[in-house]
C-alpha cells in the first residue's frame, strides 16, 4: 500500500456543504423535500428512522440533490461525529443534505465510493481528521479546506473495487456475528421475564401498593462519600456515572448491594439499576430514587427484574401522567400495585435470576469484542 499514489481529495472529487436551515428566500415556487441531518449520518451507515423535510427552490434542489455514490461526511460536533460518514445509495428517491454535512462527489472513472468511504472511516482517516480539526472542550470540527486536502490513497480503480468488495464481505460477517450475539442477549431478557412470570403463577400471591413493600433510601452518605464510586442507572442497568459528585457530595445516596435505584426523569425508558451482591457498593445522585425491598416481604433482586419486565413497565405507564419529561419520585411509584408471590418463592426465583448475570456479562463482552472488529479490519486495510 505504501507504493500507491496519494492525492488531495479535492483532485478526485467535488466537495460541497449543504443547505443552511432557516435561510430566507423571496421565491414562492418551492418544493418540499426530505433532507439529511447530522443525526442521520452515522459511522458507516445511515439512520433514516426520522427524516425531516424542508422547502427549497428549484435551483437549491438541483444544487444539493444527492446522487448514488455521494460520500456524506459530518463536519463534527462531539468527537465521535468528526468526519463520520457513509455512502449515499439512493435510499430515498429524492433527498438533499444540510450544511453541517459535506457531500463528496467522486470522479467515478478513477475512484470507487465504497473504497473511499472505508478509507475515510478507518483509523487512517480518523487520525487525519483529529490532527487537523479545530478543537474546543469536547468539541471538534473540520472545514472544507481540511477535507479538501485529505491525503487520499489512490490505487488503480480495479484494486479499489476488489479491496472494497473484500472489506464489505468481511464486515457483513462481523454484522452477522453481532446480530447473533444481540439475539442471545435478548433471549436472556426473555428468560428473566419468564422466571418472574413463573414465580407469580406458581402459587398464592397477594396484592400490595409498592409503598407498602418498599422502603426509600433518603439519607445521604455523609463525609465518607469519597470512599465510593459514583454509579448511574441506564437502560442497560448499572453503570459508572458520567459526572463526578456535585457541590454537596455528602448528600449523594448510598447504593449498596440489594439497592434498586432509577433516574426519575428517565424511568419511562427503563433507566433502572440494581447493585447486586457481587457489585461494588457506591453512591448515586441525590436526584435519583433509591429503594430496597422490606425485609421478609420483597427480595430486591426479584423486584428489580419485575420492574424491568413487562409487568413493571405496565405499572410505570399506569402511573405516568403523559408528560414527556416528568419526574416519577418515590411517592408516585408507591401508588403502583404489585402482585407478590410468597417471599420464599421470590428468593428461589431470585437465585435463578442471579445465575443469568454471568451469562449476560459473557455475551456483552462478546458483543464488545465484535464491535471492535470493524476498525481492526479497516486499520489493516489502510495501514501505511
Amino acid at each position: 500500500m505504501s507504493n500507491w499514489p496519494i492525492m488531495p481529495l479535492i483532485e478526485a472529487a467535488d466537495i460541497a456543504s449543504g443547505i443552511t436551515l432557516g435561510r430566507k428566500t423571496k421565491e414562492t415556487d418551492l418544493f418540499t423535500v426530505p433532507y439529511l441531518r447530522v443525526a442521520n449520518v452515522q459511522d458507516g451507515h445511515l439512520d433514516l428512522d426520522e427524516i425531516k423535510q424542508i422547502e427549497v427552490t428549484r435551483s437549491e434542489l438541483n444544487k444539493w440533490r444527492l446522487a448514488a455514490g455521494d460520500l456524506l461526511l459530518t463536519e463534527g460536533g462531539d468527537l465521535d461525529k468528526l468526519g463520520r460518514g457513509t455512502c449515499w445509495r439512493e435510499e430515498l428517491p429524492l433527498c438533499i443534505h444540510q450544511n453541517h454535512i459535506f457531500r463528496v462527489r467522486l470522479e467515478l472513472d478513477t475512484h470507487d465510493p465504497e473504497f473511499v468511504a472505508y478509507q475515510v472511516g478507518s483509523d487512517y482517516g480518523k487520525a487525519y481528521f483529529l490532527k487537523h480539526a479545530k478543537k474546543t472542550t469536547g468539541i471538534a470540527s473540520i472545514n472544507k479546506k481540511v477535507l479538501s486536502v485529505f491525503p487520499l490513497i489512490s490505487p488503480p480503480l480495479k484494486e479499489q473495487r476488489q479491496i472494497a468488495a473484500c472489506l464489505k464481505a468481511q464486515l457483513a460477517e462481523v454484522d452477522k456475528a453481532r446480530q447473533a450475539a444481540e439475539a442471545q442477549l435478548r433471549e436472556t431478557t426473555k428468560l428473566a421475564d419468564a422466571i418472574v412470570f413463573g414465580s407469580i403463577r406458581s402459587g398464592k400471591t397477594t396484592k400490595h401498593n409498592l409503598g407498602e413493600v418498599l422502603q426509600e433510601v433518603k439519607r445521604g452518605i455523609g463525609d465518607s462519600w469519597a470512599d465510593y464510586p459514583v454509579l448511574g442507572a441506564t437502560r442497560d442497568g448499572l453503570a459508572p456515572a458520567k459526572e463526578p459528585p456535585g457541590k454537596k457530595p455528602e448528600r449523594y445516596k448510598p447504593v449498596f448491594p440489594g439497592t434498586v435505584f432509577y433516574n426519575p426523569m428517565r424511568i419511562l425508558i427503563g433507566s433502572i439499576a440494581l447493585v447486586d451482591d457481587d457489585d461494588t457498593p457506591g453512591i448515586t445522585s441525590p436526584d435519583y430514587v433509591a429503594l430496597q425491598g422490606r425485609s421478609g416481604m420483597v427480595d430486591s433482586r426479584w423486584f428489580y427484574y419485575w420492574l424491568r419486565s413487562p409487568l413493571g413497565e405496565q405499572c410505570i405507564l399506569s402511573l405516568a401522567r403523559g408528560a414527556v419529561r416528568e419526574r416519577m419520585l418515590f411517592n408516585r411509584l408507591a401508588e403502583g400495585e404489585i402482585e407478590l408471590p410468597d417471599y420464599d418463592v421470590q428468593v428461589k426465583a431470585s437465585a435463578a435470576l442471579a445465575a443469568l448475570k454471568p451469562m449476560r456479562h459473557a455475551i456483552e463482552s462478546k458483543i464488545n469484542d465484535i464491535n471492535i472488529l470493524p476498525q481492526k479490519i479497516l486499520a489493516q486495510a489502510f495501514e501505511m
Side-chain angles (χ1 to χ4, degrees), residues 124-171:
Y124 171 82
K126 292 180 185 295
Y128 171 80
F129 292 130
L130 282 172
K131 181 178 180 181
H132 295 89
K134 179 181 179 181
K135 302 183 186 72
T136 58
T137 305
I139 302 294
S141 62
I142 55 173
N143 55 32
K144 185 177 178 180
K145 181 178 179 181
V146 169
L147 184 57
S148 295
V149 294
F150 177 87
L152 183 65
I153 303 169
S154 301
L157 181 60
K158 183 178 179 180
E159 289 189 57
Q160 292 181 38
R161 288 172 175 166
Q162 290 173 341
I163 293 169
C166 181
L167 290 173
K168 187 175 184 179
Q170 289 179 291
L171 294 173

Side-chain angles (χ1 to χ4, degrees), residues 231-384:
L231 302 176
T234 73
R235 280 178 286 185
D236 295 323
L238 190 67
K242 294 181 179 179
E243 302 291 337
K247 293 182 178 180
K248 296 182 177 180
E250 69 279 0
R251 293 178 55 197
Y252 273 57
K253 297 176 181 178
V255 281
F256 293 173
T259 304
V260 176
F261 66 102
Y262 64 84
N263 183 337
M265 298 290 287
R266 294 175 64 85
I267 190 174
L268 289 172
I269 62 170
S271 294
I272 307 167
L274 164 71
V275 183
D276 215 331
D277 293 342
D278 57 348
D279 291 320
T280 302
I283 56 175
T284 197
S285 168
D287 294 330
Y288 277 34
V289 175
L291 51 89
Q292 295 175 338
R294 291 190 182 276
S295 179
M297 295 186 72
V298 174
D299 178 273
S300 291
R301 185 188 296 118
W302 182 92
F303 173 74
Y304 167 73
Y305 283 98
W306 177 90
L307 194 60
R308 294 184 73 96
S309 77
L311 295 173
E313 291 176 10
Q314 184 179 358
C315 176
I316 292 167
L317 289 174
S318 73
L319 299 170
R321 294 171 181 163
V324 175
R325 295 281 290 175
E326 67 173 323
R327 296 173 72 220
M328 187 168 293
L329 299 178
F330 182 77
N331 58 355
R332 177 99 65 83
L333 185 72
E335 298 171 3
E337 287 190 344
I338 188 170
E339 192 174 347
L340 277 181
D342 289 342
Y343 184 71
D344 290 345
V345 174
Q346 293 179 46
V347 171
K348 184 177 179 180
S350 178
L353 292 166
L356 294 179
K357 188 175 180 181
M359 187 188 307
R360 285 188 63 89
H361 283 177
I363 298 171
E364 288 167 351
S365 177
K366 182 180 178 180
I367 292 173
N368 289 337
D369 291 341
I370 291 171
N371 287 338
I372 295 170
L373 286 177
Q375 277 305 313
K376 286 186 175 180
I377 291 170
L378 294 179
Q380 290 175 353
F382 297 101
E383 187 175 5
M384 293 297 290

Side-chain angles (χ1 to χ4, degrees), residues 28-103:
T28 57
D29 186 18
L30 300 176
F31 303 85
T32 300
V33 298
Y35 73 93
L36 296 182
R37 301 165 293 128
V38 171
N40 298 126
V41 181
Q42 299 296 312
D43 196 3
H45 69 281
L46 293 172
D47 181 353
L48 302 180
D49 288 344
E50 182 183 3
I51 297 292
K52 296 193 174 182
Q53 296 188 325
I54 189 172
E55 289 188 333
V56 297
T57 65
R58 185 177 297 277
S59 62
E60 289 173 332
L61 177 58
N62 292 334
K63 180 178 181 180
W64 286 306
R65 182 171 184 167
L66 295 173
D70 284 348
L71 179 59
L72 302 168
L73 300 172
T74 59
E75 69 175 18
D78 296 337
L79 288 175
D80 69 324
K81 296 182 180 67
L82 185 63
R84 182 177 75 185
T86 190
C87 281
W88 177 253
R89 300 176 180 86
E90 294 187 306
E91 286 86 348
L92 300 174
L94 175 64
C95 194
I96 64 173
H97 59 108
Q98 74 160 114
N99 60 319
H100 295 300
I101 298 170
F102 293 107
R103 184 211 68 205

Side-chain angles (χ1 to χ4, degrees), residues 177-234:
R178 181 190 300 109
Q179 290 182 30
E182 289 173 347
Q184 289 179 323
L185 198 58
R186 289 192 295 272
E187 287 302 313
T188 65
T189 300
K190 291 180 182 178
L191 183 53
D193 292 344
I195 292 171
V196 171
F197 295 158
S199 67
I200 293 172
R201 297 184 185 125
S202 65
K204 181 182 176 182
T205 61
T206 54
K207 276 191 176 182
H208 298 271
N209 287 334
L210 289 174
E212 299 171 356
V213 297
L214 302 173
Q215 54 188 8
E216 185 179 10
V217 177
K218 297 181 179 180
R219 188 183 296 274
I221 189 67
D223 294 338
S224 62
W225 63 268
D227 297 336
Y228 300 97
V230 184
L231 302 176
T234 73

